[in-house]
Amino acid sequence: SAVISQKPSRDICQRGTSLTIQCQVDSQVTMMFWYRQQPGQSLTLIATANQGSEATYESGFVIDKFPISRPNLTFSTLTVSNMSPEDSSIYLCSVEGVSWSGYGYTFGSGTRLTVV
Amino acid sequence: DAKTTQPPSMDCAEGRAANLPCNHSTISGNEYVYWYRQIHSQGPQYIIHGLKNNETNEMASLIITEDRKSSTLILPHATLRDTAVYYCIVGALEYGNKLVFGAGTILRVKS
């Protein structure tokens, strides 16, 4: 299965600033997904990023707040802009692919963001 | 919204089988049942998936009812390391559809 490297693994940021999270995959993938997991909650999909096209955002998420880049088939970034304490969450990237025993999506280990 | 219903939590004794149920009464004909788990502070991990037939791999078994409206994930010999949140998800991921996570089941394996 694909191996995902996500950076940074954690960060503490001041409100009003922005943080860019990187997701690097060791193989070429068409679709990449960005999720948010608020404290004690399940995962919520933010957007789907396909190489060569604009990201598709889910209801409640907008490009101005969460701009995404997808410059090639192995890399993507998610920026959390103008942060507030409510943005404190774990942000995860995910890619499609075949796992060791079947088709499934692989997840990075996440970026734990705390906004103060 | 998630199309599955799972109990919020379950306990299991170490070494015993853990049976995690999932209801998906509105599943479509081309949708698979996927199971993922999330161990604390890690990203979700794929476990198993199936369409109609029961499936087994090194990690678990998946039993799907004949009408496909419910399924059960079985961890045959649960260990303390299996303590995690288990998510049952339905979707046609081979067609590029997105994973929609529900609340999942917190499984606590106790010694």
Side-chain angles (χ1 to χ4, degrees):
Chain A
S1 60
V3 176
I4 298 174
S5 174
Q6 197 172 329
K7 295 180 180 179
S9 59
R10 58 177 63 233
D11 207 342
I12 300 173
C13 300
Q14 297 291 323
R15 68 175 67 200
T17 63
S18 298
L19 176 71
T20 295
I21 301 167
Q22 299 180 2
C23 181
Q24 178 75 52
V25 189
D26 69 344
S27 58
Q28 294 184 340
V29 293
T30 302
M31 302 180 69
M32 297 181 75
F33 304 88
W34 286 98
Y35 287 84
R36 180 178 73 181
Q37 187 170 29
Q38 295 176 300
Q41 302 296 314
S42 183
L43 286 78
T44 301
L45 181 65
I46 297 172
T48 303
N50 290 337
Q51 195 270 335
S53 62
E54 293 289 328
T56 301
Y57 289 82
E58 297 298 307
S59 176
F61 298 95
V62 295
I63 187 171
D64 290 346
K65 176 67 176 178
F66 298 101
I68 290 171
S69 77
R70 184 76 203 276
N72 56 53
L73 291 173
T74 63
F75 188 78
S76 178
T77 66
L78 169 76
T79 298
V80 186
S81 303
N82 188 24
M83 289 183 286
S84 66
E86 291 71 33
D87 294 319
S88 296
S89 296
I90 300 173
Y91 293 85
L92 302 106
C93 72
S94 175
V95 302
E96 60 175 344
V98 179
S99 74
W100 58 276
S101 65
Y103 191 93
Y105 287 7
T106 302
F107 286 80
S109 55
T111 296
R112 185 178 296 271
L113 170 63
T114 302
V115 183
V116 298
Chain B
D1 292 336
K3 296 189 281 187
T4 62
T5 303
Q6 300 176 253
S9 65
M10 294 181 63
D11 291 340
C12 177
E14 188 177 21
R16 304 298 293 269
N19 297 286
L20 290 88
C22 179
N23 287 324
H24 33 79
S25 59
T26 61
I27 190 170
S28 301
N30 67 337
E31 289 183 318
Y32 287 73
V33 179
Y34 291 81
W35 283 85
Y36 284 74
R37 73 179 182 184
Q38 187 175 25
I39 297 171
H40 184 62
S41 298
Q42 299 182 21
Q45 175 191 23
Y46 166 85
I47 302 173
I48 198 168
H49 77 286
L51 182 63
K52 296 180 183 178
N53 301 321
N54 299 337
E55 302 288 344
T56 296
N57 62 25
E58 287 84 344
M59 290 182 68
S61 294
L62 174 61
I63 308 298
I64 303 173
T65 59
E66 190 170 349
D67 63 7
R68 302 212 318 128
K69 292 184 177 181
S70 65
S71 61
T72 301
L73 177 74
I74 301 173
L75 306 178
H77 305 287
T79 70
L80 297 178
R81 289 176 294 179
D82 291 322
T83 293
V85 180
Y86 287 77
Y87 298 100
C88 170
I89 302 166
V90 298
L93 300 188
E94 283 80 353
Y95 301 101
N97 291 322
K98 55 199 177 188
L99 277 175
V100 178
F101 285 80
T105 296
I106 299 172
L107 175 67
R108 301 184 186 91
V109 181
K110 300 182 176 181
S111 59

